[in-house]
Amino acid sequence: AKDETGRFGAVWECPDYFEMDGHKVLIVSPQDMSADGEFHNGNNVVFFTGDVDEEKHIFKYEKAVSVDSGFDFYAPQAFYGKDRQPMMFAWLGCGAQELPYAKEDMWIHSLTMSRFLTIKEGKLCQEVPENIKNEYAHLDIDSKRIKPEEDTWYINLTDKQISEIQIGDQEDHLSIKIDWAAGHIVADRSTLKHQFSTEYGIQREVSMSEELKNIEIYYDNTFIEIYLNDGKDTMTLRAFPENVEINLI
């Protein structure tokens, strides 16, 4: 594959072409991109909509946007579910990482949850199927500090008085800072004891084009998926706090 603009990295891995909601879609995973707007240094995943010249085998894209704004989302593949509902999962990891707790012959990465796909206002929207959501323990937000009893859980936040979510304790946590009115969210791994892949940065952020209304966070043994405004933006990442608790600030 060749990108004539030179904007989208050096090598396009795991290309995936499909059609949905009347759109022709190409998703690719470029390596060695430079930071540019919503794209970050290193490996990215780019969602194109456009048209196909079948004789010349050229995809003429109209719009290119990031699929996920987290640290550890790569090589997604789409498929059709029941009633041809477009769905997608991805590699939850990125490259040959030296992760905390890794042991010889131990698996280190995973796949994301399968996600329902739709296109709204030119944006790829991703939602968690209800039957998968039901496999996670839903945590009620009845205090500012929550100690999950399960290793797999999710929370749904709508309280605009909360400006930060910390997953972990005060000395060792993933920080998620929120500006509800501006639709801005920052995931910061600098406050974690166990650091990895820092050459690609320690923060990821999303700036939405609308007010932030709800945040769903799914946690499964260090694997974290964040869905903003019912999946209009997502952030997928790893974090290794030694003590897993949730503090709302």
Side-chain angles (χ1 to χ4, degrees), residues 144-202:
K144 294 293 186 180
R145 180 179 177 273
I146 304 167
K147 181 66 176 177
E149 297 180 359
E150 308 287 343
D151 292 329
T152 303
W153 48 262
Y154 84 95
I155 57 174
N156 187 2
L157 297 174
T158 57
D159 184 354
K160 294 179 174 54
Q161 299 302 311
I162 296 170
S163 61
E164 183 179 1
I165 307 161
Q166 296 179 353
I167 300 177
D169 59 35
Q170 187 173 2
E171 304 300 324
D172 173 29
H173 62 266
L174 169 72
S175 170
I176 302 169
K177 297 183 175 67
I178 311 161
D179 185 332
W180 296 86
H184 188 74
I185 184 168
V186 178
D188 186 348
R189 294 201 293 208
S190 67
T191 45
L192 287 160
K193 288 182 181 179
H194 296 287
Q195 299 285 315
F196 62 98
S197 298
T198 56
E199 65 271 26
Y200 299 116
I202 56 175

Coordinates of all heavy atoms in Angstrom, one line a residue, residues 144-202:
K144 N -16.6 8.2 47.0 CA -15.5 8.7 46.2 C -14.4 7.7 46.1 O -13.4 7.8 45.3 CB -15.0 10.0 46.8 CG -15.9 11.1 46.8 CD -16.2 11.6 45.3 CE -17.1 12.8 45.3 NZ -17.3 13.3 43.9
R145 N -14.4 6.6 46.9 CA -13.4 5.6 46.9 C -14.1 4.2 46.8 O -15.0 3.9 47.6 CB -12.5 5.6 48.1 CG -11.4 4.5 48.1 CD -10.5 4.7 49.4 NE -9.5 3.6 49.4 CZ -9.8 2.4 50.0 NH1 -10.9 2.1 50.5 NH2 -8.8 1.5 50.0
I146 N -13.7 3.5 45.8 CA -14.4 2.2 45.5 C -13.3 1.1 45.5 O -12.3 1.3 44.7 CB -15.2 2.2 44.2 CG1 -16.2 3.4 44.2 CG2 -15.9 0.9 43.9 CD1 -16.8 3.6 42.8
K147 N -13.5 0.1 46.2 CA -12.6 -1.0 46.2 C -13.3 -2.2 45.5 O -14.1 -2.9 46.1 CB -12.1 -1.4 47.6 CG -11.1 -2.6 47.7 CD -9.8 -2.2 47.0 CE -8.8 -3.4 47.2 NZ -7.5 -3.1 46.5
P148 N -12.9 -2.5 44.2 CA -13.6 -3.6 43.5 C -13.3 -5.0 44.2 O -12.2 -5.2 44.6 CB -13.1 -3.5 42.1 CG -12.5 -2.2 42.0 CD -12.0 -1.8 43.3
E149 N -14.4 -5.8 44.3 CA -14.2 -7.1 44.8 C -13.8 -8.1 43.7 O -13.3 -9.2 43.9 CB -15.4 -7.6 45.5 CG -15.8 -6.8 46.8 CD -17.0 -7.2 47.5 OE1 -17.6 -8.2 47.0 OE2 -17.4 -6.7 48.5
E150 N -14.1 -7.7 42.4 CA -13.8 -8.6 41.3 C -12.7 -8.0 40.5 O -12.3 -6.9 40.6 CB -15.1 -8.6 40.4 CG -16.4 -9.0 41.1 CD -16.4 -10.4 41.4 OE1 -15.6 -11.2 40.8 OE2 -17.3 -10.8 42.3
D151 N -12.0 -8.9 39.7 CA -10.9 -8.5 38.8 C -11.4 -7.9 37.5 O -10.7 -7.3 36.8 CB -10.0 -9.7 38.5 CG -9.3 -10.2 39.7 OD1 -8.9 -9.4 40.6 OD2 -9.0 -11.4 39.8
T152 N -12.7 -8.1 37.2 CA -13.3 -7.6 36.0 C -14.5 -6.8 36.3 O -15.5 -7.3 36.9 CB -13.7 -8.8 35.1 OG1 -12.6 -9.6 34.9 CG2 -14.3 -8.4 33.8
W153 N -14.5 -5.5 36.0 CA -15.6 -4.6 36.4 C -15.7 -3.5 35.4 O -14.9 -3.2 34.6 CB -15.4 -4.1 37.8 CG -14.0 -3.5 38.1 CD1 -12.9 -4.2 38.7 CD2 -13.5 -2.2 37.7 NE1 -11.8 -3.4 38.7 CE2 -12.1 -2.2 38.2 CE3 -14.0 -1.1 37.1 CZ2 -11.3 -1.0 38.0 CZ3 -13.3 0.0 36.9 CH2 -11.9 0.1 37.4
Y154 N -16.9 -2.7 35.5 CA -17.0 -1.5 34.8 C -17.8 -0.5 35.6 O -18.6 -0.8 36.5 CB -17.7 -1.7 33.4 CG -19.2 -1.8 33.4 CD1 -19.9 -0.6 33.1 CD2 -19.9 -2.9 33.6 CE1 -21.3 -0.7 33.0 CE2 -21.2 -3.0 33.5 CZ -21.9 -1.8 33.2 OH -23.3 -1.9 33.2
I155 N -17.5 0.8 35.3 CA -18.3 1.9 35.9 C -18.8 2.8 34.8 O -18.2 2.9 33.7 CB -17.4 2.7 36.9 CG1 -16.2 3.3 36.2 CG2 -17.1 1.9 38.1 CD1 -15.3 4.2 37.1
N156 N -19.9 3.5 35.1 CA -20.5 4.5 34.1 C -20.6 5.8 34.9 O -21.3 5.9 35.9 CB -21.9 4.0 33.7 CG -22.4 4.9 32.6 OD1 -21.8 5.8 32.1 ND2 -23.6 4.6 32.1
L157 N -19.8 6.8 34.4 CA -19.8 8.1 35.1 C -20.6 9.1 34.3 O -20.4 9.3 33.1 CB -18.3 8.5 35.2 CG -17.4 7.7 36.1 CD1 -16.0 8.2 36.0 CD2 -17.9 7.7 37.5
T158 N -21.4 9.9 35.1 CA -22.1 11.0 34.5 C -22.0 12.2 35.4 O -22.5 13.3 35.0 CB -23.6 10.7 34.3 OG1 -24.2 10.3 35.5 CG2 -23.7 9.5 33.2
D159 N -21.4 12.1 36.6 CA -21.3 13.2 37.5 C -20.3 14.2 37.1 O -19.1 13.9 37.1 CB -21.0 12.6 38.9 CG -21.0 13.7 40.0 OD1 -21.1 14.9 39.7 OD2 -20.8 13.3 41.2
K160 N -20.7 15.4 36.6 CA -19.8 16.4 36.1 C -19.0 17.1 37.2 O -18.2 18.0 36.9 CB -20.6 17.3 35.2 CG -21.1 16.7 34.0 CD -21.9 17.6 33.1 CE -22.3 17.0 31.8 NZ -23.1 15.7 32.0
Q161 N -19.2 16.7 38.5 CA -18.4 17.3 39.5 C -17.1 16.5 39.6 O -16.1 17.0 40.3 CB -19.1 17.2 40.9 CG -20.4 18.0 40.9 CD -20.2 19.5 40.6 OE1 -19.4 20.1 41.2 NE2 -21.0 20.0 39.7
I162 N -17.0 15.4 39.0 CA -15.7 14.6 39.0 C -14.8 15.1 38.0 O -15.1 15.2 36.8 CB -16.0 13.1 38.8 CG1 -16.9 12.5 39.9 CG2 -14.8 12.3 38.7 CD1 -17.5 11.2 39.6
S163 N -13.6 15.5 38.4 CA -12.6 16.0 37.5 C -11.4 15.1 37.2 O -10.6 15.3 36.3 CB -12.0 17.4 38.0 OG -11.4 17.2 39.2
E164 N -11.3 14.0 38.0 CA -10.3 13.1 37.8 C -10.7 11.7 38.4 O -11.3 11.6 39.4 CB -9.0 13.5 38.5 CG -7.8 12.6 38.3 CD -6.5 13.1 39.0 OE1 -6.6 14.1 39.7 OE2 -5.5 12.4 38.9
I165 N -10.3 10.7 37.6 CA -10.5 9.3 38.1 C -9.1 8.7 38.3 O -8.2 8.8 37.4 CB -11.2 8.4 37.0 CG1 -12.5 9.1 36.7 CG2 -11.5 7.0 37.5 CD1 -13.1 8.6 35.4
Q166 N -8.8 8.1 39.4 CA -7.5 7.4 39.6 C -7.8 5.9 39.8 O -8.6 5.5 40.7 CB -6.9 8.0 40.9 CG -6.5 9.4 40.7 CD -5.8 10.0 42.0 OE1 -5.7 9.3 43.0 NE2 -5.3 11.2 41.9
I167 N -7.2 5.1 39.0 CA -7.2 3.7 39.2 C -6.0 3.2 39.8 O -4.9 3.2 39.2 CB -7.5 3.0 37.8 CG1 -8.8 3.5 37.2 CG2 -7.5 1.5 38.0 CD1 -9.1 2.9 35.8
G168 N -6.0 2.8 41.1 CA -4.8 2.6 41.9 C -4.9 3.4 43.1 O -5.9 4.2 43.4
D169 N -3.9 3.3 44.0 CA -3.9 4.2 45.2 C -3.2 5.5 44.9 O -2.7 5.8 43.8 CB -3.2 3.4 46.4 CG -1.8 2.9 46.1 OD1 -1.1 3.7 45.4 OD2 -1.4 1.9 46.5
Q170 N -3.0 6.3 46.0 CA -2.5 7.7 45.8 C -1.1 7.7 45.3 O -0.7 8.6 44.5 CB -2.6 8.4 47.1 CG -2.2 9.9 47.0 CD -2.5 10.6 48.3 OE1 -2.8 10.0 49.3 NE2 -2.2 11.9 48.3
E171 N -0.3 6.7 45.6 CA 1.1 6.7 45.2 C 1.4 5.9 43.9 O 2.5 6.0 43.4 CB 1.9 6.0 46.4 CG 1.8 6.7 47.7 CD 2.2 8.1 47.7 OE1 3.2 8.5 47.0 OE2 1.6 9.0 48.4
D172 N 0.4 5.2 43.4 CA 0.6 4.4 42.3 C -0.7 4.2 41.5 O -1.5 3.3 41.9 CB 1.1 3.0 42.8 CG 1.3 2.0 41.7 OD1 1.5 2.3 40.5 OD2 1.1 0.8 42.0
H173 N -1.0 5.0 40.5 CA -2.3 5.0 39.9 C -2.2 5.5 38.4 O -1.3 6.2 38.1 CB -3.3 5.8 40.6 CG -2.9 7.2 40.7 ND1 -2.3 7.8 41.8 CD2 -3.2 8.3 39.9 CE1 -2.1 9.1 41.6 NE2 -2.7 9.4 40.5
L174 N -3.2 5.1 37.6 CA -3.5 5.7 36.3 C -4.4 6.8 36.6 O -5.4 6.7 37.3 CB -4.2 4.7 35.4 CG -4.7 5.2 34.1 CD1 -3.6 5.6 33.1 CD2 -5.7 4.3 33.5
S175 N -4.0 8.0 36.0 CA -4.8 9.2 36.2 C -5.6 9.5 34.9 O -5.0 9.5 33.8 CB -3.9 10.4 36.5 OG -4.7 11.6 36.5
I176 N -6.9 9.7 35.1 CA -7.8 10.1 34.0 C -8.4 11.4 34.3 O -9.3 11.5 35.2 CB -8.8 9.0 33.7 CG1 -8.2 7.7 33.4 CG2 -9.7 9.4 32.5 CD1 -9.2 6.5 33.4
K177 N -7.9 12.5 33.7 CA -8.4 13.8 34.0 C -9.5 14.2 33.0 O -9.4 13.9 31.8 CB -7.3 14.8 33.9 CG -6.2 14.6 35.0 CD -5.1 15.7 35.0 CE -4.1 15.5 36.1 NZ -3.3 14.3 36.0
I178 N -10.5 14.9 33.5 CA -11.7 15.1 32.7 C -12.1 16.6 32.7 O -12.2 17.2 33.8 CB -12.9 14.3 33.3 CG1 -12.6 12.9 33.5 CG2 -14.1 14.4 32.3 CD1 -13.5 12.2 34.4
D179 N -12.4 17.2 31.5 CA -13.0 18.5 31.4 C -14.3 18.2 30.7 O -14.4 18.1 29.4 CB -12.1 19.4 30.6 CG -12.7 20.8 30.6 OD1 -14.0 21.0 30.6 OD2 -11.9 21.8 30.5
W180 N -15.4 18.1 31.4 CA -16.7 17.7 30.8 C -17.2 18.7 29.8 O -17.6 18.3 28.7 CB -17.8 17.5 31.9 CG -17.5 16.4 32.9 CD1 -16.7 16.5 34.0 CD2 -18.0 15.1 32.8 NE1 -16.7 15.3 34.7 CE2 -17.4 14.4 34.0 CE3 -18.8 14.4 31.9 CZ2 -17.7 13.0 34.2 CZ3 -19.1 13.0 32.2 CH2 -18.5 12.4 33.3
A181 N -17.2 20.0 30.1 CA -17.7 21.0 29.2 C -16.9 21.1 27.9 O -17.5 21.3 26.8 CB -17.7 22.4 29.9
A182 N -15.6 20.9 28.0 CA -14.8 21.0 26.8 C -14.7 19.7 26.0 O -14.2 19.7 24.9 CB -13.4 21.5 27.2
G183 N -15.2 18.6 26.6 CA -15.1 17.3 26.0 C -13.7 16.8 25.9 O -13.3 16.2 24.9
H184 N -12.9 17.1 26.9 CA -11.5 16.8 26.9 C -11.1 15.8 28.0 O -11.6 16.0 29.1 CB -10.7 18.1 27.1 CG -9.2 17.9 26.9 ND1 -8.6 17.8 25.6 CD2 -8.2 17.9 27.8 CE1 -7.3 17.7 25.8 NE2 -7.0 17.7 27.1
I185 N -10.4 14.8 27.6 CA -10.0 13.8 28.6 C -8.5 13.4 28.4 O -8.1 13.3 27.2 CB -10.9 12.5 28.5 CG1 -10.6 11.5 29.6 CG2 -10.9 11.9 27.2 CD1 -11.6 10.4 29.8
V186 N -7.8 13.2 29.5 CA -6.3 12.9 29.4 C -6.1 11.7 30.2 O -6.4 11.6 31.4 CB -5.4 14.0 29.9 CG1 -4.0 13.6 29.8 CG2 -5.7 15.3 29.1
A187 N -5.5 10.6 29.6 CA -5.1 9.4 30.4 C -3.6 9.6 30.6 O -2.8 9.7 29.6 CB -5.4 8.2 29.6
D188 N -3.1 9.5 31.8 CA -1.8 9.8 32.2 C -1.2 8.6 33.0 O -1.7 8.3 34.1 CB -1.7 11.1 33.1 CG -0.3 11.5 33.4 OD1 0.6 10.8 33.2 OD2 -0.2 12.7 33.9
R189 N -0.1 8.0 32.5 CA 0.5 6.8 33.1 C 1.7 7.2 33.9 O 2.4 6.4 34.5 CB 0.9 5.8 32.1 CG -0.3 5.1 31.4 CD 0.0 3.8 30.8 NE 0.9 3.8 29.7 CZ 0.8 2.9 28.7 NH1 -0.1 1.9 28.7 NH2 1.7 2.9 27.7
S190 N 2.0 8.5 34.0 CA 3.2 9.0 34.7 C 3.2 8.7 36.2 O 4.2 8.7 36.9 CB 3.5 10.5 34.4 OG 2.5 11.3 35.1
T191 N 2.0 8.6 36.8 CA 1.8 8.4 38.2 C 1.8 6.9 38.6 O 1.4 6.5 39.7 CB 0.6 9.1 38.7 OG1 -0.5 8.8 37.8 CG2 0.7 10.6 38.7
L192 N 2.1 6.0 37.6 CA 2.2 4.6 37.9 C 3.7 4.2 38.3 O 4.6 4.7 37.7 CB 1.8 3.8 36.7 CG 0.3 3.7 36.4 CD1 0.0 3.3 35.0 CD2 -0.4 2.8 37.4
K193 N 3.8 3.3 39.2 CA 5.2 2.8 39.6 C 5.8 2.0 38.4 O 7.0 2.2 38.1 CB 5.1 2.0 40.8 CG 4.9 2.7 42.1 CD 4.9 1.8 43.3 CE 4.6 2.5 44.6 NZ 4.6 1.6 45.8
H194 N 5.0 1.2 37.8 CA 5.5 0.3 36.8 C 5.3 1.0 35.4 O 4.2 1.1 34.9 CB 4.7 -1.0 36.8 CG 5.0 -1.8 38.0 ND1 6.1 -2.4 38.3 CD2 4.2 -2.0 39.1 CE1 6.1 -3.0 39.5 NE2 4.9 -2.8 40.0
Q195 N 6.4 1.5 34.8 CA 6.4 2.2 33.6 C 6.8 1.3 32.4 O 7.6 0.3 32.6 CB 7.4 3.4 33.6 CG 7.0 4.4 34.7 CD 5.8 5.3 34.3 OE1 5.7 5.7 33.1 NE2 4.9 5.5 35.2
F196 N 6.3 1.5 31.2 CA 6.7 0.7 30.1 C 6.3 1.5 28.8 O 5.4 2.4 28.8 CB 6.0 -0.7 30.1 CG 4.5 -0.7 30.0 CD1 3.9 -0.8 28.8 CD2 3.8 -0.4 31.1 CE1 2.5 -0.8 28.7 CE2 2.4 -0.4 31.1 CZ 1.7 -0.6 29.9
S197 N 7.0 1.3 27.7 CA 6.8 1.9 26.4 C 6.8 3.4 26.5 O 6.0 4.1 25.8 CB 5.4 1.4 25.8 OG 5.5 0.0 25.6
T198 N 7.6 4.0 27.4 CA 7.6 5.4 27.6 C 8.2 6.2 26.4 O 8.0 7.4 26.3 CB 8.4 5.8 28.9 OG1 9.7 5.2 28.8 CG2 7.7 5.2 30.1
E199 N 8.9 5.5 25.5 CA 9.4 6.1 24.3 C 8.3 6.6 23.4 O 8.5 7.5 22.6 CB 10.3 5.2 23.6 CG 9.6 4.0 23.0 CD 9.6 2.8 23.9 OE1 9.6 3.0 25.1 OE2 9.6 1.6 23.4
Y200 N 7.1 6.1 23.6 CA 5.9 6.6 22.8 C 5.0 7.6 23.6 O 3.9 7.9 23.3 CB 5.1 5.4 22.3 CG 5.9 4.5 21.5 CD1 6.1 3.2 21.8 CD2 6.4 5.0 20.2 CE1 6.9 2.3 21.0 CE2 7.1 4.1 19.4 CZ 7.4 2.8 19.8 OH 8.1 2.0 19.0
G201 N 5.6 8.1 24.8 CA 4.8 9.0 25.6 C 4.1 8.4 26.8 O 4.0 7.2 26.8
I202 N 3.8 9.2 27.7 CA 3.1 8.8 28.9 C 1.7 9.3 29.1 O 1.0 9.1 30.1 CB 3.9 9.1 30.2 CG1 4.2 10.7 30.2 CG2 5.2 8.4 30.2 CD1 4.9 11.1 31.5

